[in-house]
Coordinates of all heavy atoms in Angstrom, one line a residue:
M1302 N -78.2 -50.2 -8.1 CA -77.3 -50.4 -7.0 C -78.1 -51.0 -5.9 O -79.2 -50.6 -5.6 CB -76.7 -49.1 -6.6 CG -75.8 -48.5 -7.5 SD -74.9 -47.4 -6.5 CE -73.3 -47.7 -7.0
T1303 N -77.4 -51.8 -5.3 CA -78.1 -52.6 -4.1 C -77.7 -51.8 -2.9 O -76.5 -51.3 -2.7 CB -77.7 -53.9 -4.1 OG1 -76.3 -54.0 -3.9 CG2 -78.1 -54.7 -5.3
E1304 N -78.6 -51.7 -2.0 CA -78.3 -51.0 -0.7 C -77.7 -52.1 0.2 O -78.1 -53.2 0.2 CB -79.7 -50.6 -0.1 CG -79.9 -49.2 -0.3 CD -81.1 -48.8 0.5 OE1 -81.2 -48.9 1.7 OE2 -82.0 -48.2 -0.2
P1305 N -76.7 -51.7 1.0 CA -76.2 -52.6 1.9 C -77.2 -53.0 3.0 O -78.1 -52.2 3.3 CB -75.0 -51.9 2.6 CG -75.1 -50.4 2.2 CD -76.1 -50.4 1.1
N1306 N -77.1 -54.2 3.4 CA -78.1 -54.6 4.3 C -78.0 -53.9 5.7 O -76.9 -53.4 6.0 CB -78.1 -56.1 4.5 CG -76.8 -56.7 5.1 OD1 -76.1 -55.9 5.6 ND2 -76.5 -57.9 5.0
P1307 N -79.0 -53.9 6.5 CA -79.0 -53.1 7.8 C -77.9 -53.7 8.7 O -77.3 -53.0 9.5 CB -80.3 -53.4 8.4 CG -81.2 -53.8 7.2 CD -80.3 -54.4 6.2
L1308 N -77.6 -55.0 8.6 CA -76.5 -55.5 9.5 C -75.2 -55.0 9.1 O -74.4 -54.6 10.0 CB -76.5 -57.1 9.4 CG -75.7 -57.9 10.4 CD1 -76.0 -57.5 11.8 CD2 -75.8 -59.3 10.1
A1309 N -74.9 -54.8 7.9 CA -73.6 -54.3 7.4 C -73.5 -52.8 7.8 O -72.5 -52.3 8.2 CB -73.4 -54.4 5.9
K1310 N -74.6 -52.1 7.7 CA -74.7 -50.7 8.2 C -74.3 -50.6 9.7 O -73.6 -49.7 10.1 CB -76.0 -50.1 7.9 CG -76.3 -49.6 6.5 CD -77.6 -48.9 6.5 CE -77.9 -48.3 5.1 NZ -79.2 -47.6 5.1
A1311 N -75.0 -51.4 10.4 CA -74.8 -51.3 11.8 C -73.4 -51.7 12.2 O -72.7 -51.1 13.1 CB -75.7 -52.4 12.5
E1312 N -72.8 -52.7 11.4 CA -71.4 -53.1 11.7 C -70.4 -52.0 11.4 O -69.5 -51.6 12.1 CB -71.1 -54.3 10.9 CG -69.8 -54.9 11.2 CD -69.4 -56.2 10.4 OE1 -70.3 -56.7 9.6 OE2 -68.3 -56.6 10.4
A1313 N -70.7 -51.3 10.3 CA -69.8 -50.2 9.9 C -69.9 -49.0 10.9 O -69.0 -48.4 11.3 CB -70.2 -49.7 8.5
A1314 N -71.2 -48.7 11.3 CA -71.3 -47.8 12.4 C -70.6 -48.0 13.7 O -70.1 -47.2 14.3 CB -72.9 -47.5 12.6
A1315 N -70.7 -49.3 14.1 CA -70.1 -49.7 15.4 C -68.6 -49.6 15.2 O -67.9 -49.1 16.2 CB -70.5 -51.2 15.6
L1316 N -68.0 -50.0 14.1 CA -66.6 -49.9 13.8 C -66.1 -48.4 13.9 O -65.1 -48.1 14.5 CB -66.2 -50.5 12.5 CG -64.7 -50.6 12.2 CD1 -64.0 -51.4 13.2 CD2 -64.5 -51.2 10.8
E1317 N -66.9 -47.5 13.2 CA -66.6 -46.1 13.2 C -66.7 -45.5 14.6 O -65.8 -44.7 15.1 CB -67.5 -45.3 12.3 CG -67.2 -43.9 12.1 CD -68.1 -43.2 11.2 OE1 -68.9 -43.9 10.4 OE2 -68.1 -42.0 11.2
A1318 N -67.6 -45.9 15.4 CA -67.8 -45.5 16.8 C -66.6 -45.9 17.6 O -66.2 -45.1 18.5 CB -69.1 -45.9 17.4
A1319 N -66.2 -47.1 17.4 CA -65.1 -47.7 18.2 C -63.8 -46.9 17.9 O -63.0 -46.5 18.8 CB -64.8 -49.1 17.9
Q1320 N -63.6 -46.5 16.6 CA -62.4 -45.7 16.2 C -62.5 -44.3 16.8 O -61.6 -43.8 17.3 CB -62.3 -45.8 14.7 CG -61.8 -47.0 14.0 CD -61.9 -47.0 12.5 OE1 -62.4 -46.1 12.0 NE2 -61.3 -48.0 12.0
N1321 N -63.7 -43.8 16.7 CA -63.9 -42.4 17.3 C -63.7 -42.4 18.8 O -63.1 -41.4 19.3 CB -65.3 -41.9 16.9 CG -65.4 -41.4 15.5 OD1 -64.4 -41.2 14.8 ND2 -66.6 -41.3 15.0
T1322 N -64.1 -43.5 19.5 CA -63.9 -43.6 20.9 C -62.4 -43.5 21.2 O -61.9 -42.9 22.2 CB -64.6 -44.8 21.4 OG1 -65.9 -44.8 21.1 CG2 -64.4 -44.9 23.0
D1323 N -61.6 -44.4 20.4 CA -60.1 -44.4 20.6 C -59.6 -43.0 20.5 O -58.7 -42.6 21.2 CB -59.5 -45.4 19.7 CG -59.8 -46.8 20.1 OD1 -60.2 -47.1 21.3 OD2 -59.7 -47.7 19.2
V1324 N -60.0 -42.3 19.4 CA -59.5 -41.0 19.1 C -59.8 -40.0 20.3 O -59.0 -39.2 20.7 CB -60.0 -40.5 17.8 CG1 -59.6 -39.0 17.6 CG2 -59.4 -41.3 16.6
V1325 N -61.1 -40.2 20.7 CA -61.6 -39.3 21.8 C -60.7 -39.5 23.0 O -60.3 -38.7 23.8 CB -63.1 -39.5 22.0 CG1 -63.5 -38.8 23.4 CG2 -63.8 -38.9 20.8
R1326 N -60.5 -40.8 23.3 CA -59.7 -41.1 24.5 C -58.2 -40.5 24.4 O -57.7 -40.0 25.4 CB -59.5 -42.7 24.7 CG -60.8 -43.3 25.2 CD -60.6 -44.8 25.5 NE -61.9 -45.4 25.7 CZ -62.1 -46.7 25.5 NH1 -61.1 -47.4 25.1 NH2 -63.3 -47.2 25.8
I1327 N -57.6 -40.6 23.3 CA -56.3 -40.1 23.0 C -56.3 -38.6 23.2 O -55.4 -38.0 23.9 CB -55.7 -40.5 21.7 CG1 -55.5 -42.1 21.6 CG2 -54.5 -39.8 21.4 CD1 -55.1 -42.6 20.2
V1328 N -57.3 -37.9 22.6 CA -57.3 -36.5 22.8 C -57.6 -36.1 24.2 O -57.0 -35.1 24.7 CB -58.5 -35.9 21.8 CG1 -58.7 -34.5 22.2 CG2 -58.1 -36.1 20.4
A1329 N -58.4 -36.8 24.9 CA -58.7 -36.5 26.3 C -57.4 -36.7 27.1 O -57.2 -35.9 28.0 CB -59.8 -37.4 26.8
A1330 N -56.6 -37.7 26.9 CA -55.4 -38.0 27.6 C -54.4 -36.8 27.3 O -53.7 -36.4 28.2 CB -54.8 -39.3 27.2
L1331 N -54.3 -36.4 26.1 CA -53.4 -35.3 25.8 C -53.9 -34.0 26.4 O -53.1 -33.3 27.0 CB -53.4 -35.1 24.2 CG -52.6 -36.1 23.4 CD1 -52.8 -35.9 21.9 CD2 -51.1 -36.1 23.8
L1332 N -55.1 -33.7 26.5 CA -55.7 -32.5 27.1 C -55.4 -32.6 28.6 O -55.0 -31.6 29.3 CB -57.2 -32.3 26.8 CG -57.5 -31.9 25.5 CD1 -59.0 -31.8 25.2 CD2 -56.9 -30.5 25.1
A1333 N -55.6 -33.7 29.2 CA -55.3 -33.9 30.6 C -53.8 -33.7 31.0 O -53.5 -33.1 31.9 CB -55.8 -35.3 31.1
A1334 N -53.0 -34.2 30.1 CA -51.5 -34.0 30.3 C -51.2 -32.5 30.2 O -50.3 -32.0 31.0 CB -50.8 -34.9 29.3
Q1335 N -51.7 -31.9 29.2 CA -51.5 -30.4 29.1 C -51.9 -29.7 30.2 O -51.2 -28.7 30.7 CB -52.2 -29.9 27.8 CG -51.3 -30.0 26.5 CD -52.0 -29.3 25.4 OE1 -53.2 -29.1 25.4 NE2 -51.3 -28.9 24.4
Q1336 N -53.1 -30.0 30.7 CA -53.6 -29.2 31.9 C -52.7 -29.6 33.1 O -52.6 -28.7 34.0 CB -55.1 -29.6 32.2 CG -56.0 -29.0 31.2 CD -57.5 -29.5 31.5 OE1 -57.7 -30.3 32.3 NE2 -58.4 -28.8 30.8
A1337 N -52.3 -30.8 33.3 CA -51.4 -31.1 34.4 C -50.1 -30.3 34.3 O -49.6 -29.8 35.4 CB -51.2 -32.6 34.4
Q1338 N -49.6 -30.1 33.1 CA -48.3 -29.4 32.9 C -48.6 -27.9 33.3 O -47.8 -27.2 33.9 CB -47.9 -29.4 31.5 CG -46.9 -30.5 31.3 CD -46.3 -30.5 29.9 OE1 -47.0 -29.9 29.0 NE2 -45.2 -31.1 29.6
Q1339 N -49.7 -27.3 32.9 CA -50.0 -25.9 33.1 C -50.2 -25.6 34.6 O -50.0 -24.6 35.1 CB -51.2 -25.5 32.3 CG -50.9 -25.4 30.8 CD -52.2 -25.1 30.0 OE1 -53.2 -25.0 30.5 NE2 -52.0 -24.8 28.7
Q1340 N -50.8 -26.6 35.3 CA -51.2 -26.4 36.7 C -50.0 -26.5 37.6 O -49.9 -26.0 38.7 CB -52.2 -27.4 37.2 CG -53.6 -27.1 36.6 CD -54.6 -28.2 36.9 OE1 -54.3 -29.2 37.6 NE2 -55.8 -28.0 36.6
T1341 N -49.0 -27.3 37.2 CA -47.8 -27.4 38.1 C -46.9 -26.1 37.9 O -46.5 -25.8 36.8 CB -46.9 -28.6 37.8 OG1 -46.6 -28.6 36.4 CG2 -47.6 -29.9 38.1
P1342 N -46.8 -25.3 38.9 CA -46.0 -24.1 38.8 C -44.5 -24.4 38.6 O -44.0 -25.2 39.3 CB -46.3 -23.3 40.1 CG -46.6 -24.3 41.1 CD -47.3 -25.5 40.3
V1343 N -43.9 -23.6 37.8 CA -42.5 -23.8 37.6 C -41.8 -22.9 38.6 O -42.0 -21.6 38.6 CB -42.1 -23.3 36.1 CG1 -40.6 -23.4 35.9 CG2 -42.8 -24.2 35.1
V1344 N -41.1 -23.5 39.4 CA -40.3 -22.8 40.5 C -39.0 -22.3 39.9 O -38.2 -23.1 39.6 CB -40.2 -23.6 41.7 CG1 -39.4 -22.8 42.9 CG2 -41.5 -24.1 42.2
Q1345 N -38.9 -20.9 39.9 CA -37.6 -20.4 39.5 C -37.0 -19.7 40.7 O -37.6 -18.9 41.3 CB -37.8 -19.4 38.4 CG -38.3 -19.9 37.1 CD -38.5 -18.8 36.0 OE1 -38.4 -17.7 36.4 NE2 -38.7 -19.2 34.8
Q1346 N -35.8 -20.1 40.9 CA -35.1 -19.6 42.1 C -34.4 -18.3 41.6 O -33.6 -18.3 40.7 CB -34.0 -20.6 42.6 CG -34.6 -21.6 43.5 CD -33.5 -22.4 44.2 OE1 -32.4 -22.5 43.7 NE2 -33.9 -22.9 45.4
T1347 N -34.8 -17.2 42.3 CA -34.2 -15.9 41.9 C -33.4 -15.6 43.2 O -33.9 -15.6 44.3 CB -35.2 -14.9 41.6 OG1 -36.1 -14.8 42.8 CG2 -36.0 -15.3 40.4
T1348 N -32.2 -15.2 43.0 CA -31.4 -14.7 44.1 C -31.4 -13.3 44.2 O -31.2 -12.5 43.2 CB -29.9 -15.2 43.9 OG1 -29.4 -14.6 42.7 CG2 -29.8 -16.7 43.9
Q1349 N -31.8 -12.8 45.4 CA -32.0 -11.4 45.5 C -30.6 -10.9 46.0 O -29.9 -11.5 46.8 CB -33.0 -11.0 46.6 CG -34.4 -11.4 46.1 CD -35.4 -11.0 47.2 OE1 -35.1 -10.7 48.4 NE2 -36.7 -11.1 46.9
P1350 N -30.3 -9.7 45.7 CA -29.0 -9.2 46.1 C -29.1 -8.9 47.6 O -30.1 -8.7 48.2 CB -28.8 -7.8 45.4 CG -30.2 -7.5 45.0 CD -31.0 -8.7 44.8
P1351 N -28.0 -9.1 48.3 CA -28.0 -9.0 49.8 C -28.4 -7.6 50.2 O -28.0 -6.6 49.6 CB -26.6 -9.3 50.3 CG -25.8 -9.1 49.0 CD -26.6 -9.4 47.8
Q1352 N -29.3 -7.5 51.2 CA -29.6 -6.2 51.7 C -28.6 -5.6 52.5 O -28.1 -6.1 53.5 CB -31.0 -6.4 52.6 CG -32.1 -6.8 51.8 CD -32.6 -5.8 50.8 OE1 -32.5 -4.7 51.0 NE2 -33.2 -6.4 49.7
R1353 N -28.1 -4.5 52.1 CA -27.0 -3.8 52.8 C -27.6 -2.8 53.7 O -28.7 -2.1 53.4 CB -26.2 -3.0 51.8 CG -25.4 -3.9 50.9 CD -24.4 -3.2 50.1 NE -23.6 -4.1 49.3 CZ -23.6 -4.2 48.0 NH1 -24.4 -3.4 47.3 NH2 -22.9 -5.1 47.4
P1354 N -27.1 -2.7 55.0 CA -27.7 -1.8 55.9 C -27.4 -0.3 55.6 O -26.2 0.1 55.3 CB -27.0 -2.1 57.2 CG -25.8 -2.9 56.9 CD -26.1 -3.5 55.6
V1355 N -28.4 0.5 55.4 CA -28.3 1.9 55.0 C -27.6 2.7 56.1 O -26.9 3.7 55.8 CB -29.6 2.4 54.5 CG1 -29.5 3.9 54.2 CG2 -30.2 1.6 53.4
G1356 N -27.8 2.3 57.4 CA -27.3 3.1 58.5 C -25.8 3.2 58.4 O -25.2 4.2 58.8
L1357 N -25.1 2.1 57.9 CA -23.7 2.2 57.9 C -23.2 3.3 56.9 O -22.2 3.9 57.1 CB -23.1 0.8 57.5 CG -23.3 -0.3 58.5 CD1 -22.7 -1.6 57.9 CD2 -22.5 0.1 59.7
Y1358 N -23.9 3.4 55.7 CA -23.5 4.3 54.8 C -23.8 5.8 55.3 O -23.0 6.7 55.0 CB -24.3 4.1 53.5 CG -23.9 2.9 52.7 CD1 -24.8 1.8 52.7 CD2 -22.6 2.7 52.2 CE1 -24.3 0.6 52.0 CE2 -22.2 1.6 51.6 CZ -23.1 0.5 51.5 OH -22.7 -0.6 50.9
V1359 N -24.9 5.9 56.0 CA -25.2 7.2 56.6 C -24.1 7.6 57.7 O -23.6 8.7 57.6 CB -26.6 7.2 57.2 CG1 -26.9 8.5 58.0 CG2 -27.6 7.1 56.1
A1360 N -23.8 6.6 58.4 CA -22.8 6.9 59.5 C -21.4 7.3 58.8 O -20.7 8.1 59.3 CB -22.7 5.7 60.4
A1361 N -21.1 6.5 57.8 CA -19.8 6.8 57.1 C -19.9 8.2 56.4 O -18.8 8.8 56.5 CB -19.6 5.7 56.0
G1362 N -21.0 8.6 55.9 CA -21.1 9.9 55.3 C -21.0 11.0 56.3 O -20.2 12.0 56.1
I1363 N -21.6 10.8 57.5 CA -21.5 11.8 58.5 C -20.1 11.8 59.1 O -19.5 12.9 59.2 CB -22.5 11.5 59.6 CG1 -24.0 11.8 59.1 CG2 -22.2 12.3 60.9 CD1 -25.0 11.3 60.1
G1364 N -19.5 10.7 59.3 CA -18.1 10.6 59.8 C -17.2 11.2 58.8 O -16.2 11.9 59.2
G1365 N -17.4 11.0 57.5 CA -16.6 11.6 56.4 C -16.7 13.1 56.5 O -15.7 13.9 56.3
A1366 N -17.9 13.6 56.7 CA -18.1 15.1 56.6 C -17.5 15.7 57.8 O -16.9 16.8 57.8 CB -19.7 15.3 56.6
V1367 N -17.6 15.0 59.0 CA -17.0 15.5 60.2 C -15.4 15.5 60.0 O -14.8 16.6 60.4 CB -17.4 14.8 61.4 CG1 -16.5 15.1 62.7 CG2 -18.9 15.0 61.7
A1368 N -14.9 14.4 59.5 CA -13.5 14.4 59.3 C -13.0 15.4 58.3 O -12.0 16.1 58.5 CB -13.1 13.0 58.8
L1369 N -13.8 15.6 57.3 CA -13.5 16.7 56.3 C -13.5 18.0 56.9 O -12.6 18.9 56.6 CB -14.5 16.5 55.1 CG -14.1 17.4 53.9 CD1 -12.8 17.0 53.3 CD2 -15.2 17.3 52.9
S1370 N -14.5 18.3 57.8 CA -14.5 19.7 58.4 C -13.3 19.9 59.3 O -12.7 20.9 59.4 CB -15.8 19.8 59.1 OG -15.9 19.0 60.2
F1371 N -12.9 18.8 60.0 CA -11.7 18.9 60.9 C -10.5 19.1 60.0 O -9.6 19.9 60.4 CB -11.6 17.6 61.8 CG -12.4 17.6 63.0 CD1 -13.2 16.6 63.3 CD2 -12.5 18.7 63.8 CE1 -14.1 16.5 64.4 CE2 -13.3 18.8 64.9 CZ -14.1 17.6 65.3
L1372 N -10.4 18.4 58.9 CA -9.2 18.6 58.0 C -9.3 20.1 57.5 O -8.2 20.7 57.4 CB -9.3 17.6 56.9 CG -8.9 16.2 57.3 CD1 -9.1 15.3 56.0 CD2 -7.5 16.1 57.8
A1373 N -10.4 20.6 57.1 CA -10.5 21.9 56.6 C -10.0 23.0 57.7 O -9.3 23.9 57.4 CB -11.9 22.2 56.2
M1374 N -10.5 22.7 58.9 CA -10.1 23.6 60.0 C -8.7 23.5 60.3 O -8.0 24.5 60.6 CB -10.9 23.3 61.3 CG -12.4 23.7 61.2 SD -13.4 23.2 62.6 CE -12.4 23.1 64.0
A1375 N -8.1 22.3 60.2 CA -6.6 22.1 60.4 C -5.9 22.8 59.3 O -4.8 23.5 59.6 CB -6.3 20.7 60.4
A1376 N -6.4 22.8 58.1 CA -5.7 23.4 57.0 C -5.7 24.9 57.1 O -4.8 25.7 56.9 CB -6.3 23.0 55.7
A1377 N -6.9 25.5 57.6 CA -7.0 26.9 57.8 C -6.1 27.3 58.9 O -5.4 28.4 58.8 CB -8.4 27.2 58.1
L1378 N -6.0 26.6 60.0 CA -5.0 26.9 61.1 C -3.6 26.9 60.6 O -2.8 27.8 61.0 CB -5.3 26.0 62.2 CG -4.7 26.3 63.6 CD1 -5.3 27.6 64.0 CD2 -4.9 25.2 64.6
L1379 N -3.2 26.0 59.8 CA -1.9 25.8 59.3 C -1.6 27.0 58.4 O -0.5 27.5 58.5 CB -1.8 24.5 58.5 CG -0.4 24.3 57.8 CD1 0.7 24.1 58.9 CD2 -0.4 23.1 56.9
A1380 N -2.6 27.5 57.6 CA -2.4 28.6 56.8 C -2.2 29.9 57.6 O -1.3 30.7 57.3 CB -3.5 28.7 55.8
V1381 N -2.9 30.0 58.7 CA -2.7 31.2 59.6 C -1.3 31.1 60.2 O -0.6 32.1 60.3 CB -3.8 31.2 60.6 CG1 -3.5 32.2 61.7 CG2 -5.1 31.6 60.0
A1382 N -0.9 29.9 60.6 CA 0.4 29.8 61.2 C 1.5 30.1 60.3 O 2.5 30.8 60.6 CB 0.6 28.3 61.7
V1383 N 1.4 29.7 59.0 CA 2.4 30.0 58.0 C 2.4 31.5 57.7 O 3.5 32.1 57.6 CB 2.1 29.2 56.7 CG1 2.9 29.7 55.6 CG2 2.4 27.7 56.9
A1384 N 1.3 32.1 57.7 CA 1.3 33.5 57.4 C 1.9 34.4 58.6 O 2.7 35.3 58.4 CB -0.2 34.1 57.3
V1385 N 1.6 34.0 59.9 CA 2.2 34.6 61.0 C 3.8 34.4 61.0 O 4.5 35.3 61.3 CB 1.6 34.1 62.3 CG1 2.4 34.5 63.5 CG2 0.2 34.5 62.4
G1386 N 4.2 33.1 60.6 CA 5.6 32.9 60.5 C 6.3 33.7 59.4 O 7.4 34.2 59.6
A1387 N 5.6 33.9 58.3 CA 6.2 34.8 57.3 C 6.3 36.2 57.6 O 7.3 36.8 57.4 CB 5.3 34.6 56.0
V1388 N 5.3 36.7 58.3 CA 5.4 38.1 58.8 C 6.5 38.3 59.8 O 7.3 39.2 59.8 CB 4.0 38.6 59.3 CG1 4.1 39.9 60.1 CG2 3.0 38.6 58.2
A1389 N 6.6 37.3 60.7 CA 7.6 37.4 61.7 C 9.0 37.3 61.1 O 10.0 38.1 61.5 CB 7.5 36.3 62.8
T1390 N 9.2 36.5 60.2 CA 10.5 36.3 59.5 C 10.8 37.6 58.7 O 11.9 38.1 58.7 CB 10.4 35.2 58.5 OG1 10.1 34.0 59.2 CG2 11.8 35.0 57.8
T1391 N 9.8 38.3 58.1 CA 10.0 39.5 57.3 C 10.4 40.6 58.3 O 11.4 41.3 57.9 CB 8.8 39.9 56.5 OG1 8.4 38.7 55.7 CG2 8.9 41.1 55.7
V1392 N 9.8 40.7 59.4 CA 10.1 41.7 60.3 C 11.5 41.5 60.8 O 12.4 42.4 61.0 CB 9.1 41.8 61.4 CG1 9.5 42.7 62.6 CG2 7.8 42.3 60.9
C1393 N 11.8 40.3 61.2 CA 13.2 40.0 61.7 C 14.3 40.3 60.7 O 15.3 40.9 61.0 CB 13.3 38.5 62.1 SG 14.8 38.0 62.8
V1394 N 14.1 40.0 59.4 CA 15.0 40.3 58.4 C 15.2 41.7 58.2 O 16.3 42.2 58.0 CB 14.6 39.6 57.1 CG1 15.4 40.1 55.9 CG2 14.8 38.1 57.2
L1395 N 14.1 42.5 58.2 CA 14.2 44.0 58.1 C 14.9 44.6 59.2 O 15.8 45.5 59.1 CB 12.8 44.6 57.9 CG 12.1 44.3 56.6 CD1 10.7 44.9 56.6 CD2 12.9 44.9 55.4
V1396 N 14.7 44.1 60.4 CA 15.3 44.7 61.6 C 16.9 44.4 61.5 O 17.7 45.2 61.8 CB 14.7 44.2 62.9 CG1 15.6 44.5 64.1 CG2 13.4 44.8 63.1
L1397 N 17.2 43.1 61.2 CA 18.6 42.7 61.1 C 19.3 43.5 60.0 O 20.4 43.9 60.1 CB 18.8 41.2 60.9 CG 18.4 40.4 62.1 CD1 18.5 38.8 61.7 CD2 19.4 40.6 63.2
R1398 N 18.6 43.8 58.9 CA 19.2 44.5 57.8 C 19.5 46.0 58.2 O 20.6 46.5 57.9 CB 18.3 44.5 56.6 CG 18.8 45.3 55.4 CD 17.9 45.1 54.2 NE 18.2 46.0 53.2 CZ 17.4 46.8 52.5 NH1 16.2 46.8 52.9 NH2 17.9 47.6 51.6
S1399 N 18.6 46.5 58.9 CA 18.8 47.9 59.5 C 19.9 47.9 60.4 O 20.7 48.9 60.4 CB 17.5 48.4 60.1 OG 17.7 49.6 60.8
V1400 N 20.0 46.9 61.3 CA 21.2 46.9 62.3 C 22.5 46.7 61.5 O 23.5 47.4 61.8 CB 20.9 45.8 63.3 CG1 22.2 45.5 64.1 CG2 19.8 46.0 64.2
W1401 N 22.5 45.9 60.5 CA 23.7 45.6 59.7 C 24.2 47.0 59.0 O 25.3 47.2 59.0 CB 23.4 44.5 58.7 CG 24.6 44.2 57.9 CD1 24.9 44.6 56.6 CD2 25.8 43.5 58.3 NE1 26.0 44.1 56.1 CE2 26.7 43.4 57.2 CE3 26.2 42.9 59.5 CZ2 27.9 42.8 57.2 CZ3 27.3 42.2 59.5 CH2 28.2 42.2 58.4
Q1402 N 23.1 47.7 58.5 CA 23.5 49.0 57.8 C 24.1 50.0 58.8 O 24.9 50.7 58.5 CB 22.3 49.5 57.0 CG 22.0 48.7 55.8 CD 20.7 49.3 55.0 OE1 20.0 50.2 55.6 NE2 20.5 48.7 53.9
D1403 N 23.4 50.0 60.0 CA 23.9 50.9 61.0 C 25.3 50.6 61.4 O 26.2 51.5 61.7 CB 23.0 50.9 62.2 CG 21.7 51.7 62.0 OD1 21.7 52.5 61.0 OD2 20.8 51.5 62.7
M1404 N 25.6 49.3 61.5 CA 27.0 48.8 61.9 C 28.0 49.2 60.8 O 29.2 49.6 61.1 CB 27.0 47.3 62.2 CG 26.4 46.9 63.5 SD 26.4 45.2 63.8 CE 28.0 44.7 63.7
K1405 N 27.6 49.2 59.6 CA 28.5 49.5 58.5 C 28.8 51.0 58.4 O 29.9 51.3 58.1 CB 27.9 49.1 57.1 CG 28.1 47.7 56.7 CD 27.4 47.4 55.4 CE 28.3 46.8 54.4 NZ 27.7 46.6 53.1
K1406 N 27.8 51.8 58.8 CA 28.0 53.2 58.8 C 28.8 53.6 60.0 O 29.4 54.8 60.0 CB 26.7 54.0 58.7 CG 26.0 53.8 57.4 CD 24.7 54.6 57.4 CE 24.0 54.5 56.1 NZ 22.7 55.1 56.1
G1407 N 28.9 52.8 61.0 CA 29.7 53.2 62.1 C 28.9 53.8 63.3 O 29.5 54.4 64.1
R1408 N 27.7 53.6 63.3 CA 27.0 54.2 64.4 C 27.0 53.3 65.6 O 27.2 52.4 65.9 CB 25.5 54.4 64.0 CG 25.3 55.5 63.0 CD 23.8 55.7 62.9 NE 23.5 56.4 61.7 CZ 22.3 56.7 61.3 NH1 21.3 56.3 62.0 NH2 22.1 57.4 60.2

């Protein structure tokens, strides 16, 4: 076998180097593009729920408790008034019945 001459060897090496250089450039461009994509932050808009003032809820709770206590006191007062009315009515009916019986007997 004959060895290729040095000029053919050099030509083959130069051709291979040129091809490798093109591949290296393409790879370098791809890597640069990937790094540029990774460096640009993706901005995601997140909507936060509106902040509600807690003080309004506290005030409503206190107001509700006060209103509830007033309603409870009014209900208790109403119950006392109904009981007094029932006792008065009972006494009145008993007295009138006694008077009626006395009138029937002729006293």
Side-chain angles (χ1 to χ4, degrees):
M1302 292 198 135
T1303 62
E1304 257 185 61
N1306 65 16
L1308 187 56
K1310 277 185 177 180
E1312 187 180 350
L1316 183 60
E1317 185 180 343
Q1320 287 174 348
N1321 283 344
T1322 303
D1323 289 340
V1324 170
V1325 169
R1326 283 185 193 157
I1327 291 172
V1328 170
L1331 286 175
L1332 288 175
Q1335 270 186 339
Q1336 285 178 353
Q1338 267 185 340
Q1339 289 175 354
Q1340 287 177 356
T1341 55
V1343 177
V1344 178
Q1345 293 179 351
Q1346 281 189 330
T1347 57
T1348 56
Q1349 293 181 350
Q1352 296 292 330
R1353 294 188 175 113
V1355 177
L1357 291 177
Y1358 292 112
V1359 171
I1363 291 172
V1367 169
L1369 188 61
S1370 67
F1371 280 128
L1372 287 175
M1374 287 174 31
L1378 193 61
L1379 179 65
V1381 169
V1383 167
V1385 167
V1388 168
T1390 303
T1391 304
V1392 169
C1393 183
V1394 166
L1395 289 175
V1396 168
L1397 286 175
R1398 181 177 169 228
S1399 174
V1400 169
W1401 181 257
Q1402 287 177 353
D1403 285 344
M1404 284 177 58
K1405 272 179 131 183
K1406 289 182 183 177
R1408 289 191 199 171

